[in-house]
């Protein structure tokens, strides 16, 4: 693989384009409007400048990385790509339409990956005639510093596709795990989300106060931060919607959100980004 096209120049797309270019790949970064593409390229530039300041990379490396990335709005440019990583909005209809278009535009050997957090890889793959060459490639935020990538097999994904994706991920200096059978939340969120939900249950039932719950998991379980602090950082609306997805998909009451959680969402307590969640924040903060 030499050329990678990243679709969507938002938070995840810009990060994926950056790490792919740092890994030596030629990158095409595509979004719907040139203004959004430029914002993505700017985010990458700033991130690389910070890495130069910290002595992580040299000025020459920064320059070479930026030279490897080409921004565009024209989807037909994917005809030059060996791998396409889709990181557009989390909407099944949009993703299926894009994958159908990619299937027509890309050469036969091109692998198509989606960075979806929650949608079915099999359903997305079914909109193409190359289901064996479609997989989930789930990066974590912030992409530049989180080392894990989950590789997810859809019903028909071939081992050859997984092996090529694995080689790509390793060339980025990241580590992969294989999700052998697609399932809501894959592995990380499947375990993390019920854990965070359980912390909210403990708070809602009055088992302990919020600071004590967070301290318990930091000092007693070696977690780098408490679950309620983490929920505030993720964004309570995002966490709530994933919790409901689990509840609906598995039809298992163990995934139900506590009433305290539902009430906080109705009150507009969304965590750090809204200035209030389990904790109060002086100024609303972006998650990025
Ligand atoms: P975002 O809103 O920051 O960016 C999405 C981008 O896609 C926008 O710039 C939008 O203009 C663009 N877009 C929409 N339709 C498009 C199209 N048809 N063609 C090209 N571009 C299009 O979203 P994000 O947080 O970067 O998430 C992108 C994907 O990554 C989603 O599927 C999300 O579930 C997944 N994801 C997000 C996170 C996270 O923490 N934010 C983590 C892992 C995976």
């Amino acid at each position: 693989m030499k050329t990678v096209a990243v679709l969507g120049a938002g938070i995840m797309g810009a990060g994926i384009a950056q790490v792919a270019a740092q890994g030596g790949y030629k990158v095409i970064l595509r979004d719907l409007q040139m203004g959004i593409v430029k914002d993505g390229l700017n985010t990458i530039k700033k991130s690389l400048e910070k890495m130069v300041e910290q002595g992580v990379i040299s000025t020459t490396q920064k320059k070479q990385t930026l030279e490897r990335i080409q921004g565009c709005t024209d989807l037909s440019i994917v005809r030059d790509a060996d791998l396409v990583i889709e990181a557009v909005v989390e909407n099944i209809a949009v993703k299926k339409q894009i994958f159908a278009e990619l299937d027509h535009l890309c050469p036969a050997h091109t692998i198509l990956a989606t960075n979806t957090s929650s949608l079915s890889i099999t359903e997305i793959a079914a909109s193409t005639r190359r289901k064996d060459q479609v997989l989930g490639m789930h990066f974590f935020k912030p992409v530049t510093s989180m080392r894990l990538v989950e590789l997810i097999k859809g019903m028909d994904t071939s081992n050859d596709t997984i092996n090529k994706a694995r080689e790509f991920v390793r060339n980025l200096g990241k580590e992969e795990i294989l999700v052998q059978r697609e399932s809501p939340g894959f592995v990380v969120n499947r375990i993390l989300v019920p854990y965070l939900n359980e912390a909210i249950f403990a708070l809602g039932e009055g088992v302990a106060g919020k600071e004590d719950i967070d301290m318990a998991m930091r000092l007693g379980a070696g977690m780098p931060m408490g679950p309620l602090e983490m929920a505030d950082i993720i964004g309570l609306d995002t966490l709530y919607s994933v919790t409901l997805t689990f509840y609906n998909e598995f039809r298992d009451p163990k995934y139900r959100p506590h009433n305290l959680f539902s009430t906080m969402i109705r009150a507009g307590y969304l965590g750090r980004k809204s200035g209030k969640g389990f904790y109060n924040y002086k100024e609303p903060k972006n998650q990025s």
Side-chain angles (χ1 to χ4, degrees), residues 188-203 213-214 217 223 225-236 239-240 243 258 261 278:
V188 172
N189 287 329
R190 169 80 178 262
I191 295 167
L192 181 65
V193 169
Y195 156 71
L196 300 177
N197 197 33
E198 197 61 30
I200 302 170
F201 264 79
L203 180 71
I213 290 172
D214 279 341
M217 297 315 291
M223 299 293 185
M225 71 173 81
L228 301 174
E229 294 170 279
M230 186 183 250
D232 273 357
I233 289 175
I234 292 171
L236 299 187
L239 184 63
Y240 191 72
T243 307
H258 191 279
F261 198 4
F278 293 104

Side-chain angles (χ1 to χ4, degrees), residues 13-54:
I16 296 167
Q18 179 178 338
V19 294
Q22 285 183 276
Y25 292 92
K26 193 170 163 253
V27 177
I28 301 155
L29 180 60
R30 190 258 179 182
D31 208 303
L32 296 172
Q33 293 163 16
M34 210 51 207
I36 306 175
V37 175
K38 283 188 178 149
D39 286 347
L41 292 171
N42 256 331
T43 307
I44 296 171
K45 196 163 166 245
K46 279 190 197 139
S47 165
L48 291 169
E49 275 162 6
K50 209 168 159 194
M51 291 172 93
V52 171
E53 275 167 33
Q54 292 166 340

Side-chain angles (χ1 to χ4, degrees), residues 236-271:
L236 299 187
D237 49 345
T238 305
L239 184 63
Y240 191 72
S241 101
V242 182
T243 307
L244 285 184
T245 302
F246 282 16
Y247 181 57
N248 292 329
E249 277 279 328
F250 292 112
R251 307 200 180 222
D252 184 333
K254 79 175 175 183
Y255 296 109
R256 71 199 182 283
H258 191 279
N259 172 257
L260 168 69
F261 198 4
S262 312
T263 311
M264 287 175 73
I265 298 297
R266 286 179 197 125
Y269 296 179
L270 306 184

Side-chain angles (χ1 to χ4, degrees), residues 6-14 16 30-33 36-37 73 75 86-91 94-95 97-98 101 114-119 137-143 189 234 238 287:
V6 179
L7 307 185
I11 299 172
M12 296 304 290
I16 296 167
R30 190 258 179 182
D31 208 303
L32 296 172
Q33 293 163 16
I36 306 175
V37 175
T73 54
L75 187 62
E86 168 277 310
V88 309
V89 283
E90 189 75 341
N91 177 309
V94 173
K95 290 195 197 275
Q97 196 203 328
I98 288 179
E101 280 180 61
T114 171
N115 185 47
T116 180
S117 306
S118 65
L119 302 171
M137 192 180 279
H138 188 220
F139 288 81
F140 292 81
K141 194 173 78 171
V143 178
N189 287 329
I234 292 171
T238 305
Q287 290 180 63

